[in-house]
């Protein structure tokens, strides 16, 4: 029995206590009523005013990459090439002889001077060892000379880096995506125990931040088949003690038989075929596919799939009874994937297509017409609010890449929500850190006031909607009510409010008399997670309760 709580329960707003038995919530009510039920057979926990709320669901993560980044050299703080090289030298000195140096998180768009270090400079700083440093978006990276050579990438005529050092003519630095994939295949090869260790690190970190479930976006070019196989092994061994994992596999198929075979290979564990099945790349690497050229570089990015390929994949997945999902960021990529879905609807019927609850990942460059097309096709938008926080606005990365007018049209969360397109929130970790309350706050503080969401809408998109987006069959998942799974997070006591930012539309009352469930006042900072529970099992405990 949990007592003395503020409980986020829309159907029982006066509840301050809940009882967990056999992984379910079997009773909710007031503390006074709860104490009449207590006996020797019931353990009681007084949370002393803490908030008990449905646990978060991260709708887009890369577990191995996240765990590796948490264990490796973090470069999000560096402000230039010199500082990056100094960090490399310091980290290299602490590594065993011959061990490669792996790092993550640099973003030259935030530097005063975006000039990147050369492969030779990296190798010297690392005392001759192999170096691979993934850019924050993980669509390109910095690599040492010897590693380039072993990957079969020829330096340019000046000997200062790979032929693609400017990144698809983008001037952003790093490798073209094909060369980047070759380097990753070479340097990130690891045995199953290492992969499982990184996955475990990531999942425990997610539990410590109040998550009880995640959607893993595995793909051949991201982590490989061995990685997904290792994750399945980890879940077979330790699933009950970790957040629930809903895996996706981003491999393109053409027929129902191919889709069914992939599903059989993983014992029907897969939620869908796709996720990071990429139609294009990223804005940071100038590889997001655009209708019009970039403002700071030649070209319109890279389009990896055609509408016909998208359609064939969607038809195969629909007939095989699984979700299709695509990574689409630029407006041209969104156009292509929606055209593919419309072709698929002509072949399988719009009703069957909608019943499959397919999804799009990121979907940043979508306009009003595209939103209406998503709604008609029954698609879910899996989005990352912190992308706007970190790179949006009139002077952010997006404005540099696209110009202010096009940049301010990206990530239209308010328009998607108002139109009725289901939203699910994620981090794309390790691209952005796993900080769920920061994601909620980012929705409230969108750079464009008309695209802001109330805290309640953002919280639901980061909890209950995450289960809907992965096709979780239990309709009570992500709620706190009698009969629901006992899956929740407990947050340190803080001021609770019903927050609706200026310019955001709300379908509920913020008047205290309406008893709308309240959430932490995020203007005062995010609360600390005290405990995370999944199906009655404690996944994380801060040792406070």
């Amino acid at each position: 029995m949990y007592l003395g709580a503020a409980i986020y329960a829309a159907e029982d707003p006066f509840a301050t206590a809940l009882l967990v038995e056999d992984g379910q919530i079997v009773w909710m009510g007031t503390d006074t009523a709860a104490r009449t039920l207590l006996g020797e057979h019931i353990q009681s926990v007084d949370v002393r005013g803490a908030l008990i709320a449905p646990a978060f669901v991260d709708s887009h993560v890369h577990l191995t990459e996240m765990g590796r980044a948490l264990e490796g050299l973090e470069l999000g703080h560096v402000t230039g090439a010199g500082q990056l090289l100094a960090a490399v030298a310091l980290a290299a000195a602490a590594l065993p002889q011959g061990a490669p140096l792996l790092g993550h998180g640099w973003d030259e768009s935030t530097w005063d001077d975006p000039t990147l270090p050369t492969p030779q400079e990296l190798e010297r700083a690392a005392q001759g060892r192999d170096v691979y440093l993934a850019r924050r978006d993980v669509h390109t990276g910095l690599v040492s000379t010897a590693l380039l050579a072993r990957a079969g990438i020829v330096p340019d005529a000046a000997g200062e880096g790979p032929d693609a050092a400017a990144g698809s003519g983008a001037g952003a630095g790093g490798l073209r995506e094909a060369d980047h994939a070759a380097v990753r295949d070479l340097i990130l090869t690891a045995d199953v125990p290492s992969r499982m260790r990184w996955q475990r690190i990531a999942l425990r970190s997610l539990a410590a931040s109040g998550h009880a479930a995640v959607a893993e976006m595995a793909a051949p070019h991201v982590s490989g088949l061995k990685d997904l196989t290792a994750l399945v092994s980890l879940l077979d061994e330790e699933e009950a003690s970790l957040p629930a994992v809903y895996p996706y596999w981003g491999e393109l198929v053409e027929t129902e038989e191919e889709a069914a075979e992939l599903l059989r290979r993983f014992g029907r564990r897969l939620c869908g075929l796709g996720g990071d099945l990429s139609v294009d790349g990223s804005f940071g690497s100038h590889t997001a596919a655009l209708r019009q050229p970039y403002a700071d570089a030649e070209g319109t990015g890279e389009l990896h799939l055609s509408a016909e390929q998208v359609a064939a994949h969607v038809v195969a997945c629909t007939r095989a009874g699984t979700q299709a999902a695509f990574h689409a960021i630029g407006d041209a990529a969104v156009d292509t994937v929606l055209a593919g879905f419309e072709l698929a609807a002509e072949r399988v019927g719009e009703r069957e297509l909608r019943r499959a609850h397919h999804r799009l990942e990121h979907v940043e460059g979508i306009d009003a017409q595209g939103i209406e097309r998503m709604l008609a096709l029954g698609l879910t938008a899996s989005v990352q609010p912190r992308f706007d926080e970190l790179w949006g606005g009139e002077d952010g990365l997006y404005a540099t890449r696209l110009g202010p007018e096009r940049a301010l049209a990206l990530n239209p969360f308010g328009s998607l929500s108002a139109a009725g397109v289901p939203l699910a929130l994620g981090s794309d970790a390790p691209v952005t850190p796993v900080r769920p309350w920061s994601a909620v706050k980012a929705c409230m503080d969108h750079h464009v006031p008309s695209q802001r969401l109330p805290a309640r809408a953002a919280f639901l998109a980061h909890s209950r909607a995450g289960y809907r987006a992965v096709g979780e069959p239990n309709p009570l998942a992500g709620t706190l009510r009698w009969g629901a799974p006992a899956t929740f997070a407990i947050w340190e006591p803080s001021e609770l409010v019903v927050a609706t930012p200026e310019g955001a539309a709300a379908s509920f009352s913020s008047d205290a008399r309406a008893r709308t469930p309240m959430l932490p006042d995020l203007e005062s900072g995010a609360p600390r997670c005290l405990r995370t529970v999944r199906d009655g099992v404690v996944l994380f405990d801060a040792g406070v309760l």
Side-chain angles (χ1 to χ4, degrees):
M1 181 76 80
Y2 289 90
L3 300 161
I7 298 180
Y8 189 91
E11 295 189 8
D12 197 349
F14 295 98
T16 57
L18 62 83
L19 181 62
V20 175
E21 183 178 11
D22 295 332
Q24 281 191 320
I25 297 172
V26 297
W27 180 88
M28 291 176 63
T30 65
D31 276 23
T32 301
R35 294 187 190 282
T36 67
L37 301 176
L38 292 178
E40 293 183 359
H41 62 292
I42 295 179
Q43 177 189 0
S44 64
V45 179
D46 188 344
V47 303
R48 300 184 296 277
L51 172 67
I52 298 181
F56 284 105
V57 179
D58 194 312
S59 290
H60 191 118
V61 299
H62 304 283
L63 291 171
T64 301
E65 194 80 25
M66 177 184 170
R68 187 188 291 116
L70 289 170
E71 192 175 67
L73 176 61
E74 205 286 312
L75 295 167
H77 65 285
V78 303
T79 58
Q83 194 175 2
L84 184 146
L85 289 169
V88 166
L90 185 64
L95 287 175
Q97 186 67 31
L101 175 59
L102 305 179
H104 170 82
W106 59 270
D107 182 356
E108 85 295 338
S109 73
T110 65
W111 301 355
D112 291 335
D113 178 0
T115 303
L116 294 170
T118 66
Q120 290 87 348
E121 289 173 328
L122 284 174
E123 194 152 308
R124 286 194 294 270
Q127 304 169 26
R129 69 182 71 244
D130 285 343
V131 180
Y132 167 67
L133 309 176
R135 192 180 186 278
R136 187 165 196 167
D137 60 8
V138 201
H139 280 264
T140 188
L142 298 174
V143 185
S144 57
T145 307
L147 181 56
L148 284 173
R150 289 199 294 113
I153 301 170
V154 180
D156 64 17
E160 291 298 316
D163 184 50
S168 301
L175 299 164
R176 286 195 179 95
E177 291 205 9
D179 291 339
H180 184 227
V183 168
R184 287 174 61 84
D185 284 345
L186 184 63
I187 194 64
L188 300 182
T189 300
D191 55 27
V192 169
S194 295
R195 294 174 188 271
M196 291 172 69
R197 184 181 79 252
W198 288 323
Q199 292 160 356
R200 192 181 295 110
I201 288 171
L203 286 165
R204 288 178 177 168
S205 176
L206 283 153
S209 58
H211 290 82
V214 298
E216 159 67 5
M217 298 298 167
H221 66 284
V222 175
S223 51
L225 195 58
K226 291 182 180 178
D227 200 72
L228 183 56
T229 302
L231 178 60
V232 170
S233 296
L234 175 66
L235 298 177
D236 287 342
E237 295 176 13
E238 303 179 30
E239 186 168 21
S241 63
L242 298 169
V245 179
Y246 296 88
Y248 288 76
W249 176 242
E251 182 175 337
L252 190 70
V253 296
E254 295 182 353
T255 67
E256 178 184 353
E257 291 71 27
E258 290 176 358
E261 175 56 33
L262 283 175
L263 296 173
R264 281 193 296 270
R265 182 183 301 180
F266 293 101
R268 301 294 300 192
R269 270 193 177 273
L270 294 180
C271 289
L273 298 178
D276 262 349
L277 179 51
S278 297
V279 180
D280 67 342
S282 72
F283 289 120
S285 297
H286 289 86
T287 52
L290 305 179
R291 297 169 183 165
Q292 302 296 325
Y294 282 90
D296 63 341
E298 296 181 359
T300 56
E302 300 178 7
L303 197 60
H304 302 313
L305 298 177
S306 67
E308 179 55 43
Q309 287 175 303
V310 170
H313 184 84
V314 172
V315 169
C317 290
T318 303
R319 289 175 173 164
T322 194
Q323 287 181 321
F326 295 89
H327 162 125
I329 286 182
D331 48 15
V334 173
D335 290 344
T336 298
V337 75
L338 291 177
F341 270 101
E342 287 165 345
L343 286 173
E346 294 175 4
R347 297 171 191 176
V348 300
E350 187 173 299
R351 182 178 179 183
E352 287 302 307
L353 189 80
R354 291 176 60 87
R355 286 175 59 184
H357 299 293
H358 301 303
R359 50 190 278 169
L360 299 185
E361 307 299 319
H362 313 309
V363 65
E364 294 190 73
I366 191 165
D367 57 18
Q369 184 181 20
I371 290 172
E372 290 302 316
R373 293 164 75 188
M374 279 194 73
L375 184 65
L377 294 162
L379 303 179
T380 293
S382 167
V383 300
Q384 291 69 47
R386 300 204 67 203
F387 286 8
D388 177 75
E389 174 195 346
L390 296 169
W391 302 308
E394 295 183 349
D395 55 359
L397 168 68
Y398 294 153
T400 300
R401 294 287 186 266
L402 306 179
E405 184 177 352
R406 285 197 290 170
L408 292 176
L410 298 177
N411 296 298
F413 307 141
S415 295
L416 285 160
S417 178
V421 174
L423 288 181
L425 307 189
S427 64
D428 199 12
V431 175
T432 69
V434 173
R435 296 172 186 164
W437 290 116
S438 295
V440 171
K441 187 71 161 55
C443 288
M444 300 169 62
D445 293 343
H446 195 289
H447 283 91
V448 179
S450 63
Q451 299 303 335
R452 293 172 181 165
L453 295 178
R456 182 171 184 255
F459 179 74
L460 290 173
H462 213 349
S463 54
R464 186 177 186 182
Y467 290 108
R468 306 297 175 271
V470 297
E472 166 57 48
N474 188 341
L476 300 184
T479 66
L480 297 184
R481 55 181 291 183
W482 291 31
T487 298
F488 49 83
I490 304 178
W491 303 91
E492 65 181 348
S494 61
E495 183 180 359
L496 301 179
V497 297
V498 179
T500 302
E502 184 177 352
S507 60
F508 50 87
S509 173
S510 58
D511 191 313
R513 292 170 296 181
R515 301 301 298 174
T516 301
M518 295 189 291
L519 292 167
D521 180 4
L522 299 179
E523 297 297 333
S524 305
R528 180 169 61 121
C529 183
L530 304 182
R531 180 176 290 186
T532 305
V533 178
R534 176 193 163 210
D535 294 337
V537 176
V538 176
L539 305 183
F540 165 78
D541 191 282
V544 175
L545 299 177

